[in-house]
């Protein structure tokens, strides 16, 4: 059996929803391995769940690889702006990890770039992000937004 630190290293390579599922396997995963997870990868807006994120106190890197949650639309060009749910949850989600120092935020759909500087919500998001830095609510040493 691997020690919790090794399981934590394995969990670093899984998506957040898979990590959360793995925590159901045993108490070792829930209590000990979760403490060793350092990288969190999120793909959908519904995974930006703050109470669950607090189980991972040592996460230093958060990857938000947002993919369009709206499966109803056949035409990706119909997605004109970033979903408001995503924008309002990203900053609090990052704040829920006390040791996070690196974040990478990708809000591009696989077939359509749903992220463009002339989109009003993008500007709102950048203002919100800048406000979080000014208020020292975020202390990231490295952030990429693409």
């Amino acid at each position: 059996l691997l020690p919790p630190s090794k399981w934590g290293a394995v969990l670093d390579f899984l998506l957040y929803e898979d990590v959360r599922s793995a925590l159901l396997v045993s108490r070792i995963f829930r209590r000990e391995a979760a403490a060793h997870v350092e990288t969190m990868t999120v793909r959908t807006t519904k995974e930006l769940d703050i109470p669950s994120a607090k189980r991972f106190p040592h996460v230093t890197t958060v990857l938000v690889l947002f993919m369009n949650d709206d499966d109803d639309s056949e035409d990706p060009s119909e997605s004109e702006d970033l979903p408001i749910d995503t924008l309002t949850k990203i900053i609090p989600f990052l704040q829920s990890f006390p040791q996070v120092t690196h974040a990478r935020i990708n809000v591009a759909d696989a077939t359509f770039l749903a992220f463009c500087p002339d989109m009003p919500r993008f500007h709102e998001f950048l203002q919100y992000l800048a406000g979080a830095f000014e208020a020292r609510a975020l202390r990231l040493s490295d952030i990429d937004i693409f």
Side-chain angles (χ1 to χ4, degrees):
L1 184 68
L2 291 175
S5 61
K6 298 294 183 192
W7 281 118
V10 169
L11 294 175
D12 280 344
F13 292 96
L14 298 179
L15 298 171
Y16 186 44
E17 70 181 318
D18 297 330
V19 170
R20 289 174 55 192
S21 295
L23 294 182
L24 301 175
V25 171
S26 72
R27 186 179 351 168
I28 290 175
F29 273 81
R30 224 177 4 264
R31 293 194 181 153
E32 298 176 32
H36 294 280
V37 174
E38 296 178 359
T39 302
M40 196 59 63
T41 304
V42 176
R43 288 186 315 161
T44 64
T45 302
K46 62 186 164 201
E47 291 177 351
L48 296 172
D49 181 51
I50 294 167
S52 297
K54 291 186 180 200
R55 294 182 184 183
F56 306 96
H58 299 294
V59 168
T60 58
T61 303
V62 177
L63 308 171
V64 180
L65 308 175
F66 175 73
M67 302 304 267
N68 193 351
D69 290 341
D70 184 16
D71 294 331
D72 298 337
S73 175
E74 296 277 328
D75 182 10
S77 65
E78 289 178 13
S79 175
E80 295 178 1
D81 213 341
L82 298 173
I84 195 69
D85 284 355
T86 301
L87 294 178
T88 58
K89 291 180 180 180
I90 289 175
I91 303 294
F93 184 75
L94 291 175
Q95 290 172 324
S96 67
F97 300 103
Q99 295 188 19
V100 70
T101 56
H102 305 286
R104 184 169 193 135
I105 302 169
N106 173 7
V107 290
D109 186 282
T111 57
F112 172 73
L113 191 61
F115 175 94
C116 179
D118 60 349
M119 295 179 178
R121 287 190 193 150
F122 173 68
H123 289 290
E124 289 174 26
F125 173 69
L126 288 182
Q127 289 173 348
Y128 188 34
L129 186 63
F133 278 108
E134 278 184 23
R136 299 186 194 277
L138 276 180
R139 294 191 174 130
L140 301 174
S141 61
D142 181 28
I143 185 166
D144 294 322
I145 303 174
F146 64 100

